[in-house]
Amino acid sequence: MDESADAAIELMIAGERMCLLADRALYWPARRRLLIADLHLGKGNVLRAAGIPVPSGGTGHDLARLGTLLETTGAGQLWVLGDFLHGPRQPRVEALWRAFLAAHPECSCSVIAGNHDRALVPDAAGVVHLPDDVADGPFRFRHMPLDAPDPEGAHVICGHVHPVVRLPGLPGRYPALALDPHQSILPAFSAFTGGWLLEDDRSWIACAHGELVAQARDQRSAPAADA
């Protein structure tokens, strides 16, 4: 296994220089665009309302992490590749998001709606609502992975399945960027999510305790399973 650890790793994806950040985000310098997937704002509130005892403060914590990434990269664009929200509109969550936008006026935010975004009202949330599938440069940006390579050769960047891996000598499972020849699946940005365990023959880069650990193996396509 080829391993490396750092706060960021520079990658060449479809001929474009990209930067994977240890806090579960991908940065495209040519567009000054920060890419994340599966933010799931308000998920803890939804679970607590259903009687599931989970800690509070998850939304504020995730937005603080996101703000740090915007400041670190100097991004002028933030794209959320699906599952911006988790469940119905929540006034407190909307207030936190509005405060986040006000704190970063230099950055625009765009969202590709995911399967949890049924309550998303783009104008009310202060975001641009992108189509379900967006072509830009050599890429297709979308929420769900494709089962087969794009017939025109575009590289898909997506989310939805929350890839995770196990690391030797460390307990638990860690979010990871799944790397295939034809698509890259982002880890869930939300710190409060489950995950799809990648098989041992996949190539991935894991986000573990502020570091990145990379494994290069035989590459296969990922299923478009729900998460």
Side-chain angles (χ1 to χ4, degrees), residues 49-69:
I52 302 172
V54 298
S56 60
T59 293
H61 174 66
D62 287 342
L63 290 180
R65 292 168 47 223
L66 187 54
T68 297
L69 288 172

Side-chain angles (χ1 to χ4, degrees), residues 120 139 181 200:
L120 176 61
F139 301 117
D200 289 341

